[in-house]
Amino acid sequence: MDDLPASVIFGEGDGLVRRFASLLRRLPVLPLARANARLAPTWVGDVAEAIARCVRDDHPARLRSFELYGPEVLTLGEIVHAIRAAAGLRTPIIPLPDGLGRVQAQLAGLLPGTPFSLDNFRSLRTDSVGKVDGYAALGIVPQPFTPWLPTLLHGPVRQRRLDGARKLQR
């Protein structure tokens, strides 16, 4: 069996959106390695539903494997630009050539929290998109990435209102 690239999973408190939003807020410029790598981010709720359907005792899919990937295929650069726009930021994003991207990965791998590593850099060599729609086989319509960005960055509208009301009470 061929090794399939892992899909990027997004959801509330995830490492993808949270990490890039944090970097975009803190840095004057964001150098981005492998900006042209193609990804099909998939929502954690869809992954959980797929697992739940596969582990049911009577489900015919429980002994099969499925490619789970989102309906939007985006480059890493497009993902970071979408996060920047949804966060209301203007931080310049500069795609790096591979040589500089590798150096960035080596240096970032030494930082606390390892924001980017050589493993991340290497994994972006292979596009993280699927070939066979596992969600369709399971009867699931996957959520697209970009409509989730406001919620992932700012929380659900109801929660934002509650947080705002709490601040007024202080």
Side-chain angles (χ1 to χ4, degrees):
M1 181 163 154
D2 294 330
D3 285 334
L4 297 173
S7 186
V8 176
I9 299 176
F10 69 91
E12 291 189 46
D14 71 22
L16 175 72
V17 175
R18 191 172 40 98
R19 179 169 289 149
F20 278 115
S22 175
L23 290 169
L24 288 163
R25 285 185 184 106
R26 291 185 303 169
L27 297 175
V29 171
L30 179 66
L32 186 62
R34 301 254 185 217
N36 289 324
R38 293 173 3 128
L39 308 163
T42 188
W43 182 55
V44 66
D46 292 333
V47 174
E49 179 61 26
I51 292 168
R53 290 185 188 194
C54 287
V55 298
R56 290 188 188 129
D57 289 337
D58 61 343
H59 200 287
R62 63 189 176 103
L63 298 177
R64 292 179 49 204
S65 60
F66 295 90
E67 292 183 35
L68 303 178
Y69 53 90
E72 289 179 288
V73 176
L74 304 164
T75 65
L76 180 59
E78 290 169 334
I79 288 170
V80 175
H81 277 87
I83 293 168
R84 180 183 72 177
L89 301 170
R90 298 174 63 178
T91 309
I93 300 165
I94 300 173
L96 296 177
D98 274 355
L100 288 177
R102 183 183 247 308
V103 171
Q104 179 191 44
Q106 289 171 322
L107 294 174
L110 301 173
L111 296 173
T114 313
F116 188 58
S117 69
L118 273 174
D119 283 342
N120 297 136
F121 180 78
R122 287 183 194 115
S123 71
L124 289 171
R125 281 189 212 162
T126 304
D127 288 339
S128 186
V129 297
K131 295 177 183 156
V132 179
D133 190 349
Y135 285 126
L138 292 166
I140 298 169
V141 177
Q143 298 282 317
F145 173 73
T146 51
W148 273 94
L149 285 174
T151 300
L152 298 175
L153 289 165
H154 309 295
V157 173
R158 183 170 185 251
Q159 186 62 48
R160 285 188 301 219
R161 288 182 186 151
L162 286 172
D163 292 343
R166 286 185 184 123
K167 285 180 185 175
L168 292 175
Q169 291 177 344
R170 292 182 194 159

